[in-house]
Amino acid sequence: MSTDLVIKVGGAAGQGLQTIGVALAKTFKKSGFNVFATQFYLSRVRGGHNTFQVRVSDEPIRAMTEKVDILIALDEESIEEQIEEMTDGVIIFDNDVIKINNNTDTNNGLFFHVPMLKIAKDVCGNKIYSNSVASGAALGLMCFEFDYLAKVLTEAFKKKGEEIIDNNIKAARAGYDYARDNYPSGCKFTVSEPSEDDGRMLIAGNDAVGLGALAAGVQFLAAYPMTPSTGVMTYVAANADDFNVVVEQAEDEIAALNMVLGASFAGARAMTTTSGGGFSLMAEALGLAGITETPAVIFLSQRPGPATGLPTMTEQGDLQFVLTAAQGEFPRCVLAPGTPDDCFYLTAEAFNIADKYQIPVFVMSDQYLADSLFTCERFVPSKVTIERHLMSDEELAEKGEYKRYEITQTGISPRAIPGQAGSLVAVDSDEHNEFGHIDQTIENRILMNEKRMKKLELLREEIEPPRLYGPKDAQITLVGWGSTYGPLVEVVNTLINEGHSVNHLHFTHVFPLPVESISDVLGNSEKIVCVENNATGQFAKLLECETGVKIAEKVLRSDGKPYSPESIIRELREKEVI
Amino acid sequence: MVSVDDYGEFETEWCPGCGNFMILKALKRALAELGRSPDEVLLTSGIGQSSKLPHYLKCNLFNGLHGRSLPPAIGAKVANHELTVLAVTGDGDCYGEGGNHFLHNVRRNPNITLIVHDNQIYGLTKGQASPTSEPGMKTKVQTHGVFNTPLNPLSLAISLDCSFVSRGFAGDVSHLTELIKKAIQHKGFSLVDVLQPCVSFNKLNTFSWYSERVYRMEEEGDGYDPGDRVKAFERSLEWGERIPLGVFYVNEKPTFEDHLDVLRSGPLVSNKADPKKVDELLDRFI
Ligand SMILES: Cc1ncc(C[n+]2csc(CCOP(=O)(O)OP(=O)(O)O)c2C)c(N)n1
Ligand code: SF4
């Protein structure tokens, strides 16, 4: 990597960090760079100490690193909190707003006073433009081509009219010029700009999930808002009219999943979105989906628990819960995207699996993946197929009497919907016979239970094998699932450069596990290390339990923060894996 | 022509003499008289003796979880608003475990008929108090007698401006049949709270106890107007020596489905999606 820079904006909620951060992220992406942006925020609407950081590189990146090159400090706390992370960087701040310690030497190149308020007032007559001054100043320090920012600001304020656009651009330009003219040693970070024509996207995980659901033809979404899942609900709602979707905010999560099951029973493609706390309330209805064999897609975005936990932070702590939620036994499927591409394609796949096997399918994300912005190639919607597995009117007419739970070889019964061609569809939460009517005889119970569980084995045979990154026969295999993909890929790159023999096995299809293909891959590894954002190694347990593969070592983190590649490497050294 | 026979005849798990039989009879008659054929009817229910009813007539049915008869009903109605959707439930199911759903579906006002078998007791779990049990009623759980104020479903529904509020009595099948017919024909959320004697566990509110008290409001000759919300509220408070039956309150207003423009072109389930349409949205992320 010839360019690898991190710009961090720090301040209180409500100060506009996100506006600055997103503008910078878009600017770099527009010019052809790879961008990764993530935020750290507290559960409050105003105040508190929050950050938004943007990493810029000329190589693909999907994780945050720990050093900071440019800090835009909007409050004193940002300086106190972040100064440790500055190695050879610059802190941009407005000395007229932030009073820093008298003893602090501001002439060492680390501190750079930009009179953001004053510039905004002088140039535009209004201090609200000081955020644009800050964005401009950061780019000025990099001697970055200004036009990209101008384009981004034009798009961002398109709806607000010419005057607002002009003022923002003027303010940004003034900040840019100020930095170029006044920073002591001129351009501090000169970046060589990649010239490739940019058709790529800058997208957050939640938006990608929403797009996946729309591509898959979701027709009904019922949910109760809960961070960090709400973004999917709002994205689908924003596009609902164009895509013939009904989005309903349920009175609670219990209602949400029960509504989804009613809609799905009646033939609509339906999903719900929630986080662990909300899913706790859905556990009962999950079992209902199981016994009634009603397809449902459950998007579950994890945050640290138990209970309300850390509402705005990240964790992969709900896997074991999802695997066993609801009483009794029934097949379910768990998918876990690692990238925005996965978010898009896996969500669409979730609907097809749900419809084919008539089971609940989870898409498990987390706050880190949900809220971070990634650069990635444009999705290809034509790769998405919609497979409903519903009986046609003709098939139904041929059948004569319809049995919702007809016993078949595969355990999958042909599915008709109420109101279709004069048929009657009956489903029941009690154990039922082939017609869907209550039947508590032992013979029937055995038959129905076997029928349902059979589907799981069929699904296991069809499930995609894990994704291998790095050389096939490496001595060390880092195993992960879901959102740790980005940091782990970078760890593998770094370690290979250092001469280690290491690869990464990433699971997007978490349950059921394709046992055979896993044993093939992991059989060659001398040391298997599982890396997870939780305290107990939940996936490692699942893997051992399902495949018998022993996990030698675990790298775990449950402080509410996502992994940086550095932190993983540090732990691998500490544990003497490398 | 649809006849009562089209709805079939099934063996039930109810106690002989239970009020549920009459409600079933009235419901079948109402559906047949309205000419609804079994395949266009969907009954959703929760759990309880009452909630088993959908199994005892031919129709589409979704027999879900305790307290949850309404959410699947809404989901199914949105998916296919051409279906005639009824939720069948008990007082424990609807006003106890499912109380929140009751409140919020009155607010939504979907075109769904809610029939509550109100026996003022939990039948299936063998005789505990329900939210509508009379104060003083002793049970194995309420050993000192019920002392919580009973919930008044009619007043509650009227206070929420429910668009159709009525009460029937299992002992008066022809009157109940007419009520259910009106409720199904009403466009909007319609509540039919049915006084249903439980011969096994409720020794207080028996057939004769109800028979001595109930009266048909429309026969009073006092020109009662179900359009007057305050009067309706007043009537709903009448309970004791005399207990009114009939339609308490009607307020025609747009249904939940009326607000959903996407249903104008036909049922949601008949829409075909095209993944390629998403391509337009992707430009916004470039
Ligand atoms: C979640 C849950 N809690 C409790 C029960 C046990 N249960 C079954 S029916 C019932 C009460 C039924 O009362 P009601 O709705 O009045 O119906 P009835 O049997 O009187 O018709 C209860 C508590 C259950 N099935 N599920
Ligand atoms: S327990 Fe009561 S409500 Fe249930 S069937 Fe028997 S009499 Fe009817």
Side-chain angles (χ1 to χ4, degrees):
Chain A
M1 281 183 217
S2 56
T3 298
D4 189 8
L5 281 173
V6 174
I7 304 170
K8 196 166 187 171
V9 194
Q15 277 193 305
L17 290 80
Q18 211 181 351
T19 325
I20 303 178
V22 170
L24 289 173
K26 285 190 177 165
T27 303
F28 292 118
K29 198 231 72 171
K30 261 212 166 3
S31 69
F33 278 108
N34 289 290
V35 175
F36 178 83
T38 192
Q39 45 184 326
F40 180 84
Y41 58 103
L42 298 170
S43 184
R44 51 195 285 183
V45 178
R46 293 207 176 269
H49 178 65
N50 297 353
T51 63
F52 190 101
Q53 42 196 334
V54 184
R55 183 178 172 205
V56 187
S57 169
D58 42 15
E59 280 177 30
I61 40 163
R62 293 189 196 91
M64 215 56 224
T65 52
E66 291 177 358
K67 56 142 199 182
V68 176
D69 297 292
I70 297 175
L71 172 69
I72 302 175
L74 301 180
D75 64 1
E76 276 122 271
E77 209 183 336
S78 308
I79 300 180
E80 284 158 30
E81 297 264 331
Q82 258 72 236
I83 198 157
E84 302 271 302
E85 294 170 338
M86 312 294 300
T87 38
D88 179 32
V90 178
I91 299 177
I92 298 177
F93 76 113
D94 185 343
N95 216 350
D96 303 333
V97 181
I98 302 177
K99 297 290 165 244
I100 51 172
N101 204 326
N102 281 339
N103 308 326
T104 312
D105 172 15
T106 51
N107 291 322
N108 59 2
L110 172 62
F111 287 94
F112 179 41
H113 160 62
V114 177
M116 303 177 212
L117 270 193
K118 186 172 179 304
I119 294 178
K121 274 195 214 144
D122 289 352
V123 180
C124 309
N126 194 332
K127 62 180 184 179
I128 58 161
Y129 296 100
S130 63
N131 281 345
S132 287
V133 179
S135 318
L139 293 181
L141 271 184
M142 301 168 70
C143 292
F144 196 86
E145 171 73 48
F146 180 79
D147 282 358
Y148 293 114
L149 179 59
K151 270 189 215 149
V152 167
L153 293 173
T154 306
E155 272 169 35
F157 296 106
K158 207 159 50 189
K159 284 202 188 120
K160 302 218 165 148
E162 286 295 322
E163 195 191 333
I164 307 268
I165 295 176
D166 285 349
N167 278 343
N168 275 292
I169 293 177
K170 267 196 284 179
R173 180 86 224 183
Y176 182 87
D177 291 342
Y178 184 90
R180 289 195 67 160
D181 298 343
N182 294 286
Y183 190 74
S185 49
C187 296
K188 169 82 178 174
F189 309 97
T190 317
V191 292
S192 55
E193 284 159 35
S195 57
E196 64 185 89
D197 194 15
D198 185 58
R200 295 169 314 152
M201 310 196 300
L202 182 70
I203 191 167
N206 268 354
D207 290 342
V209 169
L211 283 164
L214 292 174
V218 65
Q219 291 167 309
F220 182 67
L221 186 155
Y224 191 81
M226 187 167 185
T227 308
S229 69
T230 319
V232 171
M233 184 188 190
T234 31
Y235 188 79
V236 175
N239 296 290
D241 294 346
D242 291 339
F243 284 79
N244 287 326
V245 190
V246 173
V247 175
E248 175 62 2
Q249 181 174 324
E251 54 271 32
D252 54 31
E253 288 84 351
I254 298 172
L257 187 50
N258 277 286
M259 281 160 92
V260 161
L261 297 182
S264 177
F265 161 77
R269 273 210 151 170
M271 83 182 291
T272 186
T273 60
T274 191
S275 180
F279 178 63
S280 299
L281 293 183
M282 289 180 185
E284 185 198 32
L286 180 72
L288 181 62
I291 197 163
T292 59
E293 304 186 46
T294 307
V297 173
I298 302 167
F299 172 71
L300 192 159
S301 195
Q302 301 165 94
R303 69 190 213 188
T308 317
L310 298 170
T312 58
M313 298 186 206
T314 201
E315 191 167 89
Q316 295 179 302
D318 298 343
L319 179 60
Q320 290 291 342
F321 176 44
V322 161
L323 289 172
T324 54
Q327 70 273 27
E329 298 162 296
F330 56 91
R332 69 191 83 195
C333 175
V334 182
L335 308 177
T339 63
D341 296 66
D342 290 345
C343 286
F344 180 73
Y345 296 108
L346 279 184
T347 302
E349 188 185 337
F351 281 96
N352 287 343
I353 295 177
D355 269 348
K356 176 166 183 191
Y357 293 93
Q358 302 168 19
I359 56 171
V361 179
F362 292 85
V363 178
M364 281 184 85
S365 176
D366 51 38
Q367 185 268 332
Y368 166 74
L369 182 59
D371 289 341
S372 299
L373 291 169
F374 300 72
T375 35
C376 63
E377 292 303 319
R378 190 186 176 103
F379 305 149
V380 185
S382 60
K383 281 195 198 160
V384 170
T385 54
I386 297 179
E387 298 153 21
R388 293 301 321 265
H389 303 278
L390 288 169
M391 290 178 85
S392 66
D393 289 350
E394 296 74 47
E395 286 169 323
L396 197 54
E398 254 169 52
K399 261 218 163 351
E401 198 171 36
Y402 176 68
K403 294 192 265 188
R404 174 66 188 88
Y405 300 107
E406 186 183 323
I407 302 285
T408 61
Q409 278 268 300
T410 55
I412 300 172
S413 310
R415 185 166 154 236
I417 58 176
Q420 190 184 5
S423 68
L424 295 181
V425 189
V427 307
D428 196 295
S429 67
D430 281 89
E431 191 58 275
H432 42 253
N433 60 22
E434 285 184 277
F435 287 99
H437 289 293
I438 303 176
D439 184 342
Q440 302 186 348
T441 59
I442 291 162
E443 310 82 70
N444 178 66
R445 164 67 177 181
I446 294 170
L447 214 60
M448 279 296 155
N449 222 13
E450 275 177 0
K451 163 193 145 57
R452 288 189 293 264
M453 295 314 291
K454 232 190 218 173
K455 299 193 290 184
L456 185 65
E457 292 322 306
L458 189 67
L459 174 59
R460 192 190 300 280
E461 283 166 27
E462 280 191 13
I463 214 88
E464 258 179 60
R467 182 153 70 192
L468 188 71
Y469 183 82
K472 189 167 184 304
D473 300 309
Q475 283 163 1
I476 305 168
T477 296
L478 304 175
V479 168
W481 64 285
S483 74
T484 53
Y485 181 70
L488 282 172
V489 161
E490 196 162 329
V491 167
V492 168
N493 291 344
T494 309
L495 293 181
I496 287 178
N497 278 342
E498 286 176 14
H500 295 284
S501 168
V502 56
N503 61 17
H504 170 39
L505 193 64
H506 178 255
F507 288 82
T508 46
H509 293 66
V510 171
F511 188 82
L513 285 173
V515 176
E516 276 172 36
S517 58
I518 297 171
S519 309
D520 283 355
V521 188
L522 284 178
N524 303 322
S525 227
E526 282 166 28
K527 210 170 239 175
I528 303 169
V529 185
C530 198
V531 183
E532 297 182 59
N533 242 177
N534 59 46
T536 54
Q538 299 192 12
F539 182 73
K541 267 186 221 160
L542 172 67
L543 193 69
E544 258 189 66
C545 183
E546 294 272 300
T547 63
V549 173
K550 274 263 170 276
I551 309 291
E553 211 38 279
K554 286 174 207 146
V555 171
L556 305 170
R557 173 170 206 172
S558 56
D559 59 358
K561 295 196 175 182
Y563 276 113
S564 62
E566 295 100 315
S567 65
I568 298 172
I569 292 174
R570 264 198 311 273
E571 274 223 41
L572 291 174
R573 293 225 156 86
E574 238 163 66
K575 294 190 163 14
E576 293 177 4
V577 175
I578 49 170
Chain B
M1 268 287 287
V2 183
S3 80
V4 168
D5 294 340
D6 295 334
Y7 280 91
E9 195 69 55
F10 295 81
E11 211 177 292
T12 78
E13 289 174 11
W14 291 328
C15 313
C18 172
N20 285 335
F21 288 104
M22 277 81 142
I23 301 178
L24 175 60
K25 196 174 204 173
L27 176 61
K28 279 195 203 172
R29 273 196 204 167
L31 288 168
E33 285 174 25
L34 289 177
R36 311 273 162 135
S37 69
D39 63 324
E40 56 178 318
V41 175
L42 167 63
L43 299 190
T44 69
S45 69
I47 297 295
Q49 291 290 70
S50 40
S51 289
K52 290 178 185 168
L53 179 138
H55 287 284
Y56 305 147
L57 73 172
K58 268 194 191 159
C59 66
N60 297 290
L61 77 97
F62 187 104
N63 183 184
L65 298 167
H66 186 42
R68 320 283 173 227
S69 65
L70 281 171
I74 295 290
K77 187 74 187 177
V78 172
N80 185 354
H81 63 286
E82 287 176 356
L83 294 171
T84 297
V85 180
L86 295 97
V88 184
T89 165
D91 44 331
D93 197 66
C94 186
Y95 306 136
E97 189 88 73
N100 201 25
H101 309 311
F102 175 66
L103 297 186
H104 293 282
N105 285 306
V106 171
R107 292 182 49 232
R108 280 192 186 98
N109 196 34
N111 189 10
I112 287 174
T113 302
L114 173 69
I115 300 178
V116 186
H117 300 219
D118 191 350
N119 56 10
Q120 298 171 265
I121 196 107
Y122 282 15
L124 188 57
T125 47
K126 299 201 165 76
Q128 301 80 23
S130 92
T132 52
S133 293
E134 302 266 346
M137 182 200 268
K138 281 197 177 182
T139 79
K140 282 185 186 153
V141 175
Q142 286 73 28
T143 52
H144 299 287
V146 169
F147 45 74
N148 293 342
T149 308
L151 179 147
N152 182 330
L154 304 177
S155 310
L156 178 60
I158 295 164
S159 77
L160 292 166
D161 201 23
C162 180
S163 74
F164 183 100
V165 182
S166 69
R167 180 193 281 141
F169 171 44
D172 189 347
V173 176
S174 54
H175 181 252
L176 181 59
T177 306
E178 291 309 311
L179 269 191
I180 295 177
K181 275 163 71 179
K182 281 190 197 136
I184 293 174
Q185 282 173 311
H186 176 81
K187 235 177 115 262
F189 193 70
S190 33
L191 167 67
V192 188
D193 186 77
V194 189
L195 304 173
Q196 174 238 320
C198 165
V199 294
S200 298
F201 299 110
N202 192 335
K203 304 295 182 202
L204 211 62
N205 312 101
T206 59
F207 267 108
S208 56
W209 188 91
Y210 285 124
S211 299
E212 283 162 17
R213 291 167 170 81
V214 293
Y215 72 94
R216 296 179 176 185
M217 279 192 287
E218 60 270 29
E219 288 173 4
E220 287 290 278
D222 58 356
Y224 180 75
D225 170 18
D228 186 330
R229 192 163 166 208
V230 175
K231 289 248 166 58
F233 192 75
E234 219 171 76
R235 260 288 159 60
S236 72
L237 295 175
E238 193 179 339
W239 181 272
E241 292 297 293
R242 300 191 74 209
I243 299 174
L245 301 179
V247 180
F248 284 65
Y249 182 57
V250 179
N251 178 18
E252 307 272 353
K253 53 182 174 178
T255 65
F256 182 66
E257 304 88 271
D258 286 340
H259 296 291
L260 305 173
D261 288 348
V262 299
L263 304 186
R264 298 260 150 83
S265 55
L268 205 56
V269 284
S270 48
N271 288 337
K272 289 263 177 296
D274 176 10
K276 291 199 278 302
K277 194 161 180 270
V278 165
D279 211 49
E280 300 156 21
L281 297 181
L282 298 181
D283 289 337
R284 297 182 203 164
F285 296 94
I286 302 286

